[in-house]
Amino acid sequence: MEDLLPRPRVAERAPGAFGLSPGAAISGPAGLVDAVRLALPVLDLRPGSHAAIQVAEDPSLGPEAYGITITAAEVRITAADRAGAHYAGQTLRQLLPAEAFRAAALPGVAWALPCGRIADAPAFPWRGAHLDVARHFFPKREVLRLIDLLAAHKLNRLHLHLSDDQGWRVESRAYPRLHEVGSHRDRTVTGFHGEEPAFDGIPHGGHYTLHDLAEIAAYARARAVTVVPEIDVPGHSSAILAAYPELGPLPEKRYRVLDRWGISPAILSPLPATVDFLATVFDEIIGALGPTPYFHIGGDECVLDDWAASERVRAYQAELGLDSPSELHAWFLHRLADLLAERGVRAGSGTRPS
């Protein structure tokens, strides 16, 4: 039990072991039982009465908390919620032989759990990982695999970076050029910062359909992981503007999906048409993800030169009674945060403009 990861608050070993086999019975509230079974797929536990593996709900434990008592005769799990039950199952998985992490049960494995008592609750409510699919696209199967790894380590957030200068990665039915144009770049820079730029000459692209995104979110939710989408605006917008240049502050400018790293001067205009565009895209993404408590809107590393150069943007800034592009940048992010709040979603953002 000393090898459990993360280390639980209480882990006490006792003599003996509990033996089980694939197809063993498990009983308790259906939602909690399902969460434990999902953490132990190789064992194919079957819901049933008078089971040696018993799950009970105990809200007093607190969110995501659980307790496990293992004797030679039975396994008792208490959990505050579905997440706690899933983490209890993941703990049992770590206590089993390494074959518990395979996709199918192997013959001849002695499935046994050491006797003892375990109790755990999270030290931090936000425990997650960031996956930047905007710059380097990963197929859906790799995202689902990452969710499995997060769940196995009791991490509960997947920050999914869906757009940046180097690519737009989600279908839009309202604005299809986003994924038709913005999801592909001709090449990618190679080498180190400060060197003469060199490129691989290999086209790079890909995007998730809205159904893909719904599948990812449902798969994550079942494993106590919340997907946090990120659409980075108003800067980092080369891919958006390559598809819809009219959303930029200078109508005569044309853009391409960026093939290198660094801070780009490409920026969306802060005008009402851009807000309407983003509201529609946000609705599409939120509609696919389902209940979404958080939505990241970036907001950092914004070069405001094109705002200052745009007569339309300067006039809009004056109309709002703002004194500078920096104030307009803050206003724009607050406007998007309010827009998301109207949809019951909390906005997250980066740092100040460049």
Side-chain angles (χ1 to χ4, degrees):
M1 291 184 178
E2 60 274 6
D3 295 331
L4 290 172
L5 185 69
R7 181 172 295 179
R9 297 187 178 190
V10 176
E12 300 172 349
R13 183 71 183 268
F18 172 79
L20 71 164
S21 59
I26 181 172
S27 65
L32 302 188
V33 165
D34 180 65
V36 174
R37 294 178 65 224
L38 202 59
L40 294 162
V42 74
L43 289 179
D44 190 25
L45 300 177
R46 308 291 178 85
S49 56
H50 309 294
I53 304 175
Q54 301 171 33
V55 188
E57 185 175 7
D58 184 358
S60 69
L61 293 176
E64 302 181 287
Y66 68 90
I68 303 173
T69 301
I70 305 170
T71 69
E74 63 183 10
V75 176
R76 288 185 174 272
I77 297 170
T78 54
D81 50 23
R82 182 185 171 91
H86 189 66
Y87 297 149
Q90 294 290 357
T91 295
L92 294 180
R93 192 182 187 195
Q94 290 188 36
L95 292 172
L96 289 166
E99 286 78 11
F101 288 87
R102 293 189 178 274
L106 298 182
V109 177
W111 300 105
L113 294 164
C115 293
R117 183 175 74 91
I118 299 166
D120 201 13
F124 303 100
W126 190 291
R127 310 176 305 281
H130 178 281
L131 185 63
D132 187 352
V133 297
R135 294 183 175 92
H136 299 284
F137 181 71
F138 288 90
K140 180 183 65 179
R141 65 178 180 274
E142 300 299 333
V143 180
L144 299 181
R145 172 61 177 157
L146 177 59
I147 291 169
D148 286 337
L149 293 171
L150 295 178
H153 292 85
K154 303 183 178 73
L155 301 179
N156 65 356
R157 300 285 189 269
L158 173 58
H159 187 136
L160 198 57
H161 192 166
L162 292 169
S163 80
D164 213 293
D165 286 306
Q166 293 79 19
W168 176 277
R169 301 299 179 209
V170 62
E171 174 192 18
S172 173
R173 295 170 187 166
Y175 297 97
R177 291 206 303 274
L178 284 174
H179 62 270
E180 292 170 354
V181 174
S183 69
H184 290 82
R185 61 178 183 263
D186 294 334
R187 59 183 187 172
T188 303
V189 70
T190 60
F192 296 96
H193 179 70
E195 294 181 342
E196 186 69 23
F199 298 88
D200 60 10
I202 301 171
H204 181 87
H207 72 277
Y208 308 111
T209 68
L210 292 173
H211 285 160
D212 288 338
L213 202 58
E215 180 184 354
I216 289 168
Y219 191 88
R221 196 175 297 115
R223 290 155 180 80
V225 175
T226 298
V227 175
V228 181
E230 178 177 353
I231 299 296
D232 204 345
V233 292
H236 291 275
S237 295
S238 296
I240 299 174
L241 292 169
Y244 292 96
E246 63 270 24
L247 293 173
L250 300 173
E252 68 276 10
K253 291 190 74 169
R254 288 298 177 264
Y255 306 83
R256 59 187 176 84
V257 181
L258 210 61
D259 55 12
R260 64 192 70 202
W261 320 128
I263 300 174
S264 164
I267 188 170
L268 297 174
S269 83
L271 303 178
T274 302
V275 175
D276 292 343
F277 161 83
L278 291 173
T280 299
V281 171
F282 290 170
D283 283 341
E284 288 186 298
I285 294 171
I286 293 169
L289 290 174
T292 308
Y294 312 102
F295 200 119
H296 202 281
I297 54 175
D300 63 333
E301 299 177 335
C302 296
V303 180
L304 303 179
D305 296 353
D306 284 357
W307 283 9
S310 169
E311 184 177 342
R312 294 185 305 157
V313 172
R314 291 199 308 271
Y316 190 58
Q317 175 184 308
E319 181 184 329
L320 294 173
L322 302 174
D323 294 330
S324 67
S326 292
E327 287 188 13
L328 183 58
H329 174 265
W331 175 90
F332 182 77
L333 293 181
H334 280 295
R335 177 70 186 93
L336 296 185
D338 289 344
L339 183 153
L340 288 167
E342 293 166 4
R343 290 152 174 78
V345 180
R346 181 177 175 179
S349 64
T351 56
R352 68 185 65 185
S354 299

